[in-house]
Amino acid sequence: MFDQRAFRLFEQIIRYEKMTSGALVRKMGLSERQFQYDFEKMNQALRHVGKSEIGMRNQCFIIDPGLKTAYLEGSELFIRQEELFLGEQDRVYLLYLYTFMRQEEISNFHYQRVLHVSRNTALSDVKKVRGFCAEADVRLVYSRLSGYHLVGAERDKRVLAGRCVNALLVLPLGEVALKFVLESWGLRAWLDETERILLDWQKVNRVELVQDRQREWLYLVAFLRCRGKHAGLVFSDVERELIGQQSVYRLTESLVVQLFGTRDVMERFYVTVQVIGAQRTAEVGEHVVLLDLADRIIAAFEKLTLLTLDNKRELRRSLYDHLVPAYFRIVFSLPLIAPMTEQIKTAHPELFAFVRQALSPLAKLTGKTVSAAEIGYFTIHFGGYFERKHEARRDFEALLVCPNGISTSLMMKSQLRQLFPELRFVMADGANIPESGYDMIFSTVYVPTRKPVYLVQPLLTSLEKNYLIQAVAADFPTIDHRHISVDALLEIIERHAVIEDEQKLYDAIFNKIYGKVSIERGYAPMLSELLTKDMIQFTDEELDWKEAIRLAATPLVTANRVKTDYVDAMIETVEEMGTYIHIGKGIAIPHARPEKGVNQIGMSFLRTRTPVHLVDASGPAIDIFICLAAVDNEAHLKALSQLTKFLTNDVALEKLKQAETVDEITNLLTEGEEQE
């Protein structure tokens, strides 16, 4: 019997067939005992459905090519309903959807039958479903006349149904489970018909949806069609006006007729919102307010991170494409499940925090909190623009296939460029892959082709990067000589030493070997490591603002962290842009672009006991200058984040301004870091 863990192991082995079992154990965070248990359970499940087992020799997996091809091409022959094992939370989602689309009165026996569980387990699950429903003012009630049924506003019921669909689709067996719900009512064929209607409508009207959102919507619409209820769906006058102004609204009447056999205007409003929330691109002239919002978010991000982003016009356009569906998802409470959110927060905590702050105009415009999932997608969107420029020859061409939207495409492209500066990357549509003109494909989805295909995640861990480097090096030995296996090195170390933190050691080895081309998880210094004693100064002199910046930057020049040209550039930037370096409370952070003369990341601190007016006598009075020298777009963010937290703490800031010695300053900074 397949459970989520055994099926996830199966998926990972198929996806990373060249990865050793030891590396896969590290990647999945399993113990050796857990791996052996799941491996046997996986093969047992494969035997039950008449499939070839996966073998293993010398830590290498042996996979029947037919098994791999059948799975990647979408074969549904792997699991029978009675072979599916579901966890507690999975059963909650399935019971809700089963009840949501009920075709007859439901009793506890129905729940037992569809879940293959005991009476007591089914009753326990009903209690959990009731708790889930309460989150959206929906109730699961039972009566002898009507059986189990849902009570509440129609839109709230649909929001919960969307959450169930989205939550299940990110699980290894989620899609299989959703199909089983449809099959349990004898309505599995409706899914195929719904998919045909949606794809035909998109093709005729040239509407392109993000693949993940399209898949979520497909299942939700299939459940809605099977349910067949439209009464009680209500939108306010303000909402109707907003939706009716959208160009997509003109196209959705025919879709509603095909899907539901009705011209119900409320259903049309609902479908329009769903389409916009899943769109890949948006028309520029249609949402002037959101285009202006994109500008404000970019400006806020630059101010918070002290960065000047390149290709701002391109960033503005792509951010707008992302903002439009995000705005409608937030306003109309469309659920968004982003399985990468925690990984993004772990890999880029400072960037995530700055993006959260930069999105405050979006929260203000919608009047709602921007969820962590939405922030995560905006984070990888900005992260996708953090690229290093490479001068290496690019003799090979690689296609990038990522149907899940511009944000994930940008992040994937950025990481791959850093890993493989020798390659020229070209974005490609997964539905129209050319037969020639390229050497390899990097894709988030299976692509049938004779060329080498490397399946990748949008956000790569160091272990996945190492695997990818080894895989590409095996197929293209002339690309790069840096194909040292971190796994092989780790196995040698394990034989001769006790490893306390294997993941940290793995990351450290990887960054040491591939650090020049991989900065995603590279080392970022803390504030106290940059503002050391030799970087801190006090002065009693009366200075003008240019003299203050030059004096503040002196330790950086002396330590050869910056050239004198960089100091000139900081002053020129203030002359061009005004007092933008003033962040409030008498604090200024002079900085310029890295290419203006930064040799090494650094910060320096100057306290002027006589306040200095920026630009002219009417400018803000500054008594703390903190010069920043950043080498790239991300290495300084940790220190900057710590500095921001410190300076927004009024008590800590007052102590900083009252400090009389260098030791007092360094002690305050260290104390602030220890309290995080």
Side-chain angles (χ1 to χ4, degrees):
M1 177 180 291
F2 264 121
D3 61 12
Q4 300 284 10
R5 258 180 44 179
F7 195 75
R8 180 169 175 258
L9 176 61
F10 171 76
E11 285 189 317
Q12 293 291 301
I13 291 174
I14 294 294
R15 193 178 188 97
Y16 301 102
E17 62 176 318
K18 295 180 182 178
M19 187 176 284
T20 65
S21 60
L24 194 61
V25 165
R26 281 190 287 273
K27 181 181 185 301
M28 298 182 68
L30 301 174
S31 67
E32 186 62 34
R33 184 176 180 179
Q34 287 173 325
F35 169 76
Q36 292 296 339
Y37 177 81
D38 291 347
F39 189 75
E40 175 55 35
K41 196 165 188 178
M42 172 195 71
N43 275 330
Q44 186 180 44
L46 288 172
R47 287 196 300 270
H48 272 294
V49 293
K51 295 294 179 182
S52 302
E53 294 183 39
I54 294 177
M56 188 166 55
R57 183 183 302 137
N58 296 327
Q59 291 200 356
C60 295
F61 297 108
I62 303 169
I63 306 170
D64 178 4
L67 175 69
K68 177 180 178 180
T69 301
Y71 170 72
L72 291 175
E73 290 182 349
S75 171
E76 296 181 12
L77 303 177
F78 284 89
I79 305 171
R80 294 189 292 265
Q81 184 167 357
E82 62 272 16
E83 295 290 334
L84 181 64
F85 179 81
L86 298 169
E88 287 185 14
Q89 191 58 49
D90 308 341
R91 297 200 302 269
V92 169
Y93 298 141
L94 286 185
L95 281 190
Y96 181 87
L97 291 172
Y98 182 81
T99 309
F100 178 75
M101 61 169 290
R102 69 182 193 142
Q103 304 295 301
E104 62 186 32
E105 289 75 19
I106 297 176
S107 67
N108 195 63
F109 176 73
H110 285 78
Y111 290 154
Q112 291 174 240
R113 185 183 61 189
V114 74
L115 294 177
H116 300 284
V117 296
S118 67
R119 178 177 180 275
N120 287 339
T121 299
L123 289 172
S124 175
D125 287 342
V126 166
K127 291 182 181 179
K128 295 184 178 72
V129 174
R130 283 174 169 154
F132 173 71
C133 289
E135 297 174 11
D137 293 325
V138 174
R139 291 183 296 129
L140 174 64
V141 300
Y142 176 82
S143 69
R144 289 187 178 182
L145 181 63
S146 302
Y148 284 106
H149 59 283
L150 301 171
V151 176
E154 178 65 15
R155 277 177 64 179
D156 291 336
K157 294 177 187 176
R158 294 187 180 196
V159 166
L160 287 181
R163 283 177 55 186
C164 292
V165 168
N166 295 4
L168 285 169
L169 282 176
V170 301
L171 299 175
L173 291 172
E175 193 160 7
V176 175
L178 288 170
K179 290 175 181 176
F180 286 166
V181 175
L182 292 166
E183 286 175 359
S184 67
W185 288 117
L187 298 172
R188 169 66 177 80
W190 284 52
L191 180 66
D192 297 329
E193 184 185 52
T194 302
E195 185 172 29
R196 178 187 58 76
I197 292 171
L198 292 177
L199 291 177
D200 287 348
W201 178 82
Q202 287 177 238
K203 185 176 181 180
V204 169
N205 293 283
R206 297 181 180 178
V207 175
E208 188 178 5
L209 306 182
V210 173
Q211 187 182 63
D212 281 353
R213 304 291 84 75
Q214 178 170 309
R215 192 164 63 119
E216 293 162 358
W217 194 44
L218 164 63
Y219 279 95
L220 179 58
V221 171
F223 283 114
L224 289 172
R225 293 184 71 215
C226 295
R227 185 165 181 259
K229 294 183 180 180
H230 311 287
L233 188 61
V234 178
F235 289 87
S236 69
D237 291 341
V238 173
E239 290 174 328
R240 293 185 204 181
E241 183 179 2
L242 172 63
I243 300 169
Q245 292 172 348
Q246 309 309 309
S247 59
V248 173
Y249 181 74
R250 299 192 299 271
L251 309 175
T252 52
E253 183 177 14
S254 62
L255 180 58
V256 171
V257 171
Q258 291 179 73
L259 288 173
F260 303 111
T262 178
R263 296 183 185 276
D264 185 275
V265 68
M266 292 298 171
E267 200 68 72
R268 186 177 173 188
F269 286 139
Y270 178 81
V271 168
T272 301
V273 169
Q274 294 291 329
V275 171
I276 296 173
Q279 273 189 300
R280 192 178 182 91
T281 58
E283 293 185 21
V284 175
E286 191 169 7
H287 304 277
V288 177
V289 172
L290 296 183
L291 198 59
D292 175 68
L293 183 65
D295 289 331
R296 286 192 284 144
I297 289 172
I298 292 170
F301 181 79
E302 288 185 315
K303 184 173 182 179
L304 288 164
T305 59
L306 305 183
L307 294 171
T308 302
L309 298 174
D310 293 322
N311 303 319
K312 208 168 297 183
R313 178 177 294 181
E314 180 185 343
L315 172 59
R316 179 187 191 233
R317 181 67 178 91
S318 62
L319 185 61
Y320 170 76
D321 284 338
H322 190 82
L323 262 176
V324 173
Y327 173 80
F328 276 82
R329 285 195 299 266
I330 294 168
V331 168
F332 292 96
S333 302
L334 303 187
L336 178 68
I337 304 294
M340 292 192 301
T341 301
E342 289 306 314
Q343 186 183 351
I344 294 167
K345 290 169 71 174
T346 300
H348 305 280
E350 293 80 24
L351 182 59
F352 186 91
F354 283 127
V355 170
R356 182 196 295 274
Q357 295 177 67
L359 290 176
S360 58
L362 175 60
K364 185 176 181 180
L365 181 64
T366 60
K368 296 186 178 182
T369 301
V370 181
S371 70
E374 294 284 5
I375 295 169
Y377 277 114
F378 279 103
T379 299
I380 61 176
H381 192 100
F382 277 101
Y385 280 84
F386 288 1
E387 298 183 12
R388 285 184 171 179
K389 296 178 175 62
H390 300 283
E391 303 300 329
R393 288 179 58 192
R394 293 177 178 171
D395 299 326
F396 294 88
E397 183 163 304
L399 296 188
L400 290 184
V401 179
C402 182
N404 293 329
I406 187 67
S407 297
T408 49
S409 299
L410 287 170
M411 177 59 88
M412 191 171 87
K413 184 178 180 182
S414 174
Q415 293 173 100
L416 291 175
R417 275 186 172 175
Q418 291 161 9
L419 286 178
F420 304 106
E422 307 84 356
L423 304 183
R424 187 166 73 90
F425 292 96
V426 178
M427 294 289 193
D429 180 0
N432 299 293
I433 301 295
E435 295 183 2
S436 60
Y438 59 93
D439 301 287
M440 67 196 80
I441 296 176
F442 295 91
S443 176
T444 58
V445 296
Y446 171 66
V447 178
T449 177
R450 294 182 179 180
K451 299 282 188 177
V453 178
Y454 307 101
L455 294 175
V456 298
Q457 300 289 345
L459 188 60
L460 299 167
T461 65
S462 57
L463 194 148
E464 289 166 335
K465 290 175 183 176
N466 177 63
Y467 168 79
L468 198 56
I469 289 171
Q470 308 311 313
V472 173
D475 294 331
F476 298 90
T478 61
I479 283 184
D480 198 347
H481 65 279
R482 296 171 295 100
H483 41 82
I484 302 170
S485 172
V486 178
D487 295 301
L489 289 177
L490 202 60
E491 287 171 9
I492 294 172
I493 295 171
E494 285 176 335
R495 290 200 295 267
H496 300 281
V498 176
I499 300 174
E500 293 185 358
D501 192 323
E502 190 174 272
Q503 187 58 55
K504 283 187 177 179
L505 178 60
Y506 193 103
D507 289 347
I509 294 173
F510 180 85
N511 286 323
K512 184 65 176 178
I513 297 173
Y514 301 110
K516 291 184 179 180
V517 295
S518 178
I519 63 168
E520 295 302 321
R521 293 174 65 88
Y523 178 69
M526 298 178 72
L527 181 61
S528 60
E529 294 175 288
L530 295 180
L531 284 181
T532 51
K533 292 183 178 181
D534 56 329
M535 293 291 148
I536 299 172
Q537 301 177 90
F538 296 85
T539 183
D540 293 317
E541 295 182 59
E542 292 188 10
L543 306 171
D544 64 30
W545 67 272
K546 292 182 183 180
E547 292 171 332
I549 290 177
R550 290 192 185 280
L551 180 59
T554 298
L556 295 173
V557 176
T558 302
N560 198 32
R561 290 179 181 264
V562 302
K563 300 175 182 176
T564 55
D565 291 347
Y566 185 75
V567 183
D568 295 334
M570 289 193 290
I571 292 171
E572 289 169 5
T573 304
V574 175
E575 289 176 329
E576 292 173 8
M577 301 181 65
T579 61
Y580 81 104
I581 63 171
H582 177 229
I583 64 171
K585 301 180 181 179
I587 304 161
I589 305 182
H591 59 282
R593 296 178 66 87
E595 61 268 25
K596 295 295 184 179
V598 177
N599 298 323
Q600 186 180 350
I601 186 172
M603 277 187 179
S604 59
F605 176 99
L606 173 66
R607 244 281 308 283
T608 62
R609 292 187 171 89
T610 302
V612 176
H613 288 276
L614 270 184
V615 182
D616 55 40
S618 63
I622 308 298
D623 56 3
I624 292 179
F625 288 84
I626 302 174
C627 291
L628 171 67
V631 293
D632 54 43
N633 288 324
E634 200 164 359
H636 70 291
L637 293 185
K638 176 184 283 187
L640 183 59
S641 176
Q642 292 172 332
L643 179 63
T644 302
K645 290 178 183 177
F646 187 89
L647 297 179
T648 53
N649 182 325
D650 290 338
V651 175
L653 179 58
E654 183 60 28
K655 289 181 180 178
L656 186 70
K657 292 202 171 191
Q658 296 299 322
E660 296 292 335
T661 66
V662 170
D663 285 337
E664 287 182 77
I665 299 290
T666 56
N667 289 338
L668 283 170
L669 297 178
T670 303
E671 288 172 10
E673 290 174 354
E674 291 174 350
Q675 292 173 6
E676 289 189 359

